Amino acid sequence: MARAGAGAADPRREDGAVWLPAELEPYRAALTAGERPVVRLSADLSRRPQPWQSRVGGVPYWPQDEAWPMSREADPRPLVFLAQLNLAELNAKGYWPELPRQGLLQFFILNTDLYGADFDRDWAESIGHRVIYRPEVRQDMAGLRREIVQPQLSEHSLGLDDLEGFETPFKQWPTEVALTALPDTEPVSGSDALSHALLKLPDNYWEDDDASEKLSALYETFPAGHKLGGYPNFTQSDPRQPDGEWVLLFQLDSDPRLGLMWGDVGIGNFFIRPDDLKNLDFSRVAYHWDCS
């Protein structure tokens, strides 16, 4: 199914309930019972973010006296800054109760033709990324880095501003883009492994026209987009087990309006185990992306 990239929030009826097409009405109770808190994120091109604010691209909040984040390879390489989320902006009222209400989450990936992923490894064991949590943030420009560390350029160029040779999801990317938030809840997505159980789909659902129509309706009703929490979206398939322990931490979708593209209109996801989230341990966050 063709995708346009980041889209609108899920639809709501006038009474606030999720709108569902006729094919999914019989599953309303199951879908709504499984709703999860989500903070939907969208780009705000009307302002330039401060170093400590939520953003995609640009220069992260990074003290000058701290070493730049590196890959976890035997021969470490500098990582590329992807995004940063200020939880005091996005979760101050505890929309996602398990997530801290302050601090910064920062996401970095390796500059490779696979954007730091290693498909020869188990998906949850990628070493080409890092997620850093800063519990305290000083809103003060003094002592902060104002330029990025340029990693070794790859042989392919996707055009990250004037830094040709970067192999990242950014194409013709503005210097930095602020993020705004919309708290919400959402049912399971059509590409989440849990959806098959909720819709009681047969194992060979792709051979069953009725089952395929239900799954397609779920795909189309709840688009992907950028978000903190909620259910993940995939263009291929969910790498997790249906009864697995990983939950979505952060999703960054392709966004043609801004020149952000994971391969062929793909989606990037970061997952965390609930116990790690409870302990504020972001060192074991897993990273995955796919495209059509």
Side-chain angles (χ1 to χ4, degrees), residues 7 17 34 62 95 105 116 133 144 154 160 167 184 205 207 211 216 249 268 274:
W62 201 267
Y95 300 116
L105 281 175
Y133 173 57
L144 293 181
S154 70
L160 175 58
E167 191 69 47
D184 200 356
Y205 68 89
E207 299 176 357
S216 294
L249 176 62

Side-chain angles (χ1 to χ4, degrees), residues 10 26 44 131 197 260:
D10 69 66
D44 182 356
V131 177
L260 174 62

Side-chain angles (χ1 to χ4, degrees), residues 3 40 186 188-192 218-219 222-225 227 231-237 240 248 251 253 266-269 271 288 290:
R3 277 183 8 95
R40 303 187 187 282
E186 67 177 3
V188 65
S189 69
S191 51
D192 191 298
L218 197 57
Y219 268 109
F222 306 109
K227 54 188 172 182
Y231 286 95
N233 302 84
F234 306 94
T235 61
Q236 297 289 336
S237 60
R240 306 166 302 159
L248 179 66
Q251 175 170 293
D253 197 358
I267 302 173
N269 290 302
F271 297 94
H288 174 274
D290 63 11

Side-chain angles (χ1 to χ4, degrees), residues 32-54:
T32 55
E35 286 194 46
R36 290 179 180 173
V38 61
V39 180
R40 303 187 187 282
L41 305 171
S42 60
D44 182 356
L45 299 180
S46 68
R47 61 185 175 89
R48 183 174 182 178
Q50 294 294 326
W52 46 84
Q53 292 182 317
S54 300

Side-chain angles (χ1 to χ4, degrees), residues 114-123 125-128 287 289:
L114 294 177
Y115 312 147
D118 184 348
F119 297 128
D120 291 329
R121 290 176 173 266
D122 181 275
W123 75 274
E125 297 179 355
S126 171
I127 58 176
Y287 161 59
W289 74 273

Side-chain angles (χ1 to χ4, degrees), residues 213-230:
E213 288 180 6
K214 293 173 184 174
L215 202 57
S216 294
L218 197 57
Y219 268 109
E220 295 170 3
T221 305
F222 306 109
H226 318 306
K227 54 188 172 182
L228 178 64

